[in-house]
Amino acid sequence: MKPVPEDPVLRGTAAEQTRARPPADALPDYLARTYTWAYLNPRNLRLLDRMPVVNAILWGNANRLMQAAVAEFEPGQRVLQAACVYGDFSMRLARRLGDGGRLEVVDVAPVQVENLWRKAAGKCRLEVRVGDLAAEATLAGEPPFDGVCCFFLLHEVPAPERARIVHNLLGALRPGGRIVFVDYHQPASWNPLRPAMAAVFRWLEPYAPSLLRADITALSPLGAGFVWRRRSLFGGLYQIVVGERPG
Ligand SMILES: C[S@@+](CC[C@H](N)C(=O)[O-])C[C@H]1O[C@@H](n2cnc3c(N)ncnc32)[C@H](O)[C@@H]1O
């Protein structure tokens, strides 16, 4: 990731980001097939990338979930955010890390990278670049991160790519570093939203059910070397899983 001489706030100029674009056919099949409407169509992107929309999708839990994730990191740290997130999540995280810290965001979709670049300009310091987190080469050669944050990415990825992403993210942490996953989880049987969410997943999120059944900590053999804690929220619909790589 290049430092950015031209823009003191956001690193990486528009021209650099454009040069960093992979060809359109480098987008993963699952993304183009399933999520063009949500992440690749620029008009829908502008409609969806608003906090009230994000909050409605998360049944009013956006603040709670974002705050819980952000609180796991400390000012001064260098943190990787796995993929762009709608709303102000990246700006919150970047502000938490402060002037002495650094947030680096990697997303496979150029349109998302440009959108975050615009959204954050003048508001906070962060770097954002195009990259496929399921590909080993994307993070290879990066100095190890103090922290990694993966907010609602895993349910949108088929199981094989999901395992590769988790493996690459765990491998990107320094000893003593921390990784935070926030995502969907199997709601409790008494949760009144369970049937509604099952319908949403069937209709819009075909890879989510396999995450509900999965143990994130076991998706990569590297997970065995971490110390994990986890909690679920909102009647089990959401999970926050935090791993520490022993120092
Ligand atoms: C973080 S997830 C969803 C977050 C949340 N649902 C929201 O409202 O923003 C969406 C992002 O993941 C990105 N993405 C999907 N697969 C990826 C991959 N293999 N590598 C990097 N980014 C990926 C998509 O391009 C999209 O911008």
Side-chain angles (χ1 to χ4, degrees):
M1 292 180 205
K2 297 193 169 174
V4 182
E6 294 90 338
D7 185 334
V9 176
L10 192 71
R11 296 180 192 140
T13 63
E16 281 168 350
Q17 297 298 355
T18 306
R19 276 200 301 278
R21 282 176 177 206
D25 63 3
L27 284 172
D29 279 354
Y30 66 82
L31 185 65
R33 204 171 46 236
T34 317
Y35 291 113
T36 292
W37 67 274
Y39 298 120
L40 306 179
N41 176 308
R43 183 158 7 127
N44 289 355
L45 184 158
R46 279 192 295 278
L47 288 173
L48 294 171
D49 192 1
R50 298 160 197 263
M51 271 314 284
V53 176
V54 174
N55 201 31
I57 291 169
L58 294 174
W59 299 102
N61 289 282
N63 262 320
R64 180 150 84 120
L65 292 167
M66 288 183 180
Q67 271 167 16
V70 166
E72 294 288 345
F73 302 101
E74 302 295 335
Q77 288 183 327
R78 177 170 166 265
V79 171
L80 170 69
Q81 182 188 313
C84 295
V85 174
Y86 285 155
D88 62 2
F89 180 71
S90 302
M91 283 66 85
R92 292 182 193 212
L93 185 50
R95 282 192 206 107
R96 169 79 175 169
L97 304 179
D99 285 344
R102 191 160 72 167
L103 178 62
E104 301 185 14
V105 185
V106 176
D107 194 291
V108 75
V111 66
Q112 288 290 332
V113 166
E114 283 168 16
N115 180 56
L116 176 57
W117 187 83
R118 259 194 317 270
K119 198 163 63 165
K123 296 201 184 93
C124 62
R125 296 169 64 89
L126 54 75
E127 294 180 35
V128 53
R129 71 167 165 106
V130 174
D132 181 353
L133 292 163
E136 202 184 334
T138 300
L139 298 176
E142 285 279 343
F145 289 91
D146 302 314
V148 173
C149 187
C150 187
F151 193 86
F152 284 95
L153 170 63
L154 298 185
H155 75 280
E156 296 191 339
V157 175
E161 286 86 349
R162 179 185 301 144
R164 289 207 293 275
I165 289 174
V166 170
H167 188 73
N168 292 337
L169 296 181
L170 294 181
L173 271 176
R174 69 164 168 80
R178 176 178 292 177
I179 188 161
V180 178
F181 296 98
V182 181
D183 221 304
Y184 287 109
H185 180 260
Q186 180 70 60
S189 53
W190 52 263
N191 190 324
L193 291 175
R194 191 171 156 131
M197 288 310 296
V200 168
F201 293 149
R202 259 198 315 276
W203 182 37
L204 294 173
E205 308 268 23
Y207 314 116
S210 65
L211 175 70
L212 308 185
R213 293 188 296 272
D215 173 3
I216 292 174
T217 72
L219 291 183
S220 156
L222 294 179
F226 280 62
V227 177
W228 296 97
R229 61 187 149 87
R230 66 184 105 196
R231 64 188 166 116
S232 65
L233 296 85
F234 207 56
L237 179 57
Y238 306 114
Q239 59 181 322
I240 301 179
V241 179
V242 180
E244 317 261 358
R245 182 172 207 160

